[in-house]
Amino acid sequence: MSRRQVNGYRNESPEPPVYDDAHRAFLQAFFSHSVFTIDKLRPVVAAILSAQDPERPRLEGDITEPMIMSLVQNTNAKISHFDFEIHSARDQTKGDRTFALVNTTSDTFTQLATAFTPDEIAYIKRLLDAMFEENNSRTREIMAVKQMRANQLAKAPARNRQSQAATQLDADADEPTQVESNIKSINHGECQRVLQMLVSQGFFQLSSHHYYSLAPRGLLELRNYLKETYNELPAEDDDEESEPIVRIRDCEGCQEIVTIGLRCDNRDCGVRWHTRCANQFFGRQGSARRCPKCKTAWTGTTYVGEKADRVQPRSSTAGRSSRAQHNEDD
């Protein structure tokens, strides 16, 4: 049997993974809560293992990350056949690992339809557009939205990137005609309820400086959606051979999406880091710190995330769409 690997941890045993009552209780905890930080998961695992073997009680401090990853790996081997898996990602600032039970085949927005109305889901998509298109340019990768702007987005625009209107060809005409959408605005109370639910369920997080951004669970469940929606490859019939627009990038170290961290000072370079990953990498280089790709001197002062909005000076192009800024900067 081939070795399985989850988040860097290998199961060296050639035997099939064990799945017993401890794993069933572990899975049941996720069906009850969906998301756990590692600190909240440790006492759960300690209680499960202590119940399984009363003569060998476990304390919270006895539970290590590799122990939890082993439980995750063996549980996933059993439930993956049913299109569920427990995934994990590290908090981009603290570095702590977060675990979430995700459906591996169902679209995230289909799952959200059980808790939100179609108009509220359209609002959530407008928030994502604001984070990853409006506030994510070649010069300023904020990837967050201010609280006031989040409130303003409750009003549906005439047309929105995320299917606010559809385009179809008239059978007797050469020009496309617009089919207006039925998506409506939501009121202030509905807006606040949606935002509070997104934060409480671990999809969004609200910073002390009043910026909404994706939390670890949101990044886990929306990873493929973000890349498919906001990274744009040139059309196959594009004769000008235009460059792709890449708005969503992975960390050079851990290979997880970077929405909070650092970027190379060279705007043409695609290198992005989480701060902790950058510190680990550049700590081995001494004082002669260079970008591993373009070899530009590494200052560590060009930010990704809300800090790019709060610390870096705002350019004259701020507020315009990222596509327009990409074209102007080029």
Side-chain angles (χ1 to χ4, degrees):
M1 179 178 179
S2 62
R3 293 178 179 176
R4 294 177 61 89
Q5 182 172 353
V6 176
N7 296 306
Y9 294 92
R10 289 186 181 275
N11 180 359
E12 301 293 345
S13 173
E15 299 299 325
V18 174
Y19 187 79
D20 55 22
D21 287 343
H23 297 86
R24 295 184 184 93
F26 184 68
L27 177 59
Q28 185 59 49
F30 278 93
F31 277 124
S32 299
H33 297 282
S34 296
V35 181
F36 286 95
T37 63
I38 193 167
D39 287 339
K40 291 185 177 180
L41 193 54
R42 281 193 174 101
V44 173
V45 173
I48 291 172
L49 297 181
S50 296
Q52 185 184 41
D53 186 0
E55 296 183 358
R56 190 186 175 193
R58 304 293 182 93
L59 300 176
E60 180 179 338
D62 298 329
I63 307 303
T64 64
E65 187 170 316
M67 291 172 63
I68 293 176
M69 295 308 301
S70 177
L71 279 170
V72 168
Q73 178 173 293
N74 290 357
T75 302
N76 282 345
K78 191 71 172 181
I79 67 175
S80 61
H81 305 292
F82 303 100
D83 300 328
F84 281 97
E85 285 187 356
I86 298 170
H87 289 183
S88 71
R90 291 194 181 276
D91 184 283
Q92 295 181 91
T93 53
K94 300 176 182 177
D96 297 333
R97 194 174 287 280
T98 294
F99 298 83
L101 179 67
V102 301
N103 187 312
T104 56
T105 58
S106 176
D107 175 76
T108 301
F109 292 103
T110 301
Q111 298 174 52
L112 290 176
T114 61
F116 300 101
T117 68
D119 293 336
E120 290 170 343
I121 290 176
Y123 168 60
I124 295 171
K125 291 182 178 181
R126 292 197 294 275
L127 289 170
L128 295 176
D129 281 351
M131 291 178 186
F132 298 107
E133 188 173 47
E134 177 183 317
N135 289 346
N136 183 19
S137 72
R138 182 171 177 266
T139 56
R140 298 170 61 78
E141 297 180 1
I142 302 169
M143 300 195 187
V145 60
K146 286 185 176 179
Q147 197 168 23
M148 181 178 295
R149 179 62 177 146
N151 293 334
Q152 294 170 345
L153 288 169
K155 181 178 179 180
R159 182 173 181 175
N160 180 274
R161 172 191 178 90
Q162 306 287 351
S163 72
Q164 288 296 312
T167 303
Q168 69 176 16
L169 280 174
D170 188 286
D172 300 321
D174 294 328
E175 296 297 325
T177 58
Q178 291 296 321
V179 179
E180 295 301 324
S181 168
N182 292 323
I183 296 299
K184 301 179 181 65
S185 302
I186 61 175
N187 62 40
H188 179 74
E190 293 167 333
C191 166
Q192 296 308 305
R193 183 186 73 85
V194 170
L195 290 170
Q196 289 171 6
M197 285 187 65
L198 291 171
V199 171
S200 66
Q201 293 178 5
F203 282 97
F204 280 12
Q205 56 194 5
L206 179 62
S207 75
S208 59
H209 294 279
H210 309 293
Y211 286 80
Y212 285 104
S213 61
L214 283 184
R217 182 187 182 184
L219 290 169
L220 279 171
E221 299 212 24
L222 292 172
R223 177 184 174 89
N224 292 337
Y225 173 84
L226 295 176
K227 291 194 171 187
E228 291 172 1
T229 303
Y230 299 108
N231 290 350
E232 301 179 22
L233 299 177
E236 293 182 0
D237 58 352
D238 190 346
D239 296 333
E240 296 182 0
E241 297 183 356
S242 57
E243 292 293 322
I245 296 177
V246 182
R247 299 184 180 93
I248 310 298
R249 298 183 184 273
D250 292 337
C251 174
E252 289 291 308
C254 66
Q255 300 303 306
E256 295 178 6
I257 287 179
V258 178
T259 62
I260 302 172
L262 300 167
R263 60 181 293 189
C264 180
D265 291 357
N266 177 5
R267 291 179 181 174
D268 295 321
C269 181
V271 168
R272 303 293 183 272
W273 295 92
H274 294 119
T275 301
R276 70 177 188 281
C277 296
N279 290 340
Q280 291 172 1
F281 177 81
F282 290 109
R284 299 189 295 267
Q285 290 193 357
S287 58
R289 299 184 173 187
R290 299 277 175 182
C291 171
K293 182 177 180 180
C294 71
K295 307 307 177 184
T296 298
W298 184 266
T299 65
T301 58
T302 305
Y303 301 103
V304 176
E306 66 174 71
K307 206 169 181 180
D309 194 42
R310 295 190 292 105
V311 176
Q312 292 172 205
R314 184 176 295 276
S315 67
S316 60
T317 57
R320 281 183 268 177
S321 73
S322 62
R323 177 182 289 280
Q325 290 195 39
H326 271 282
N327 292 338
E328 288 177 1
D329 289 332
D330 289 340

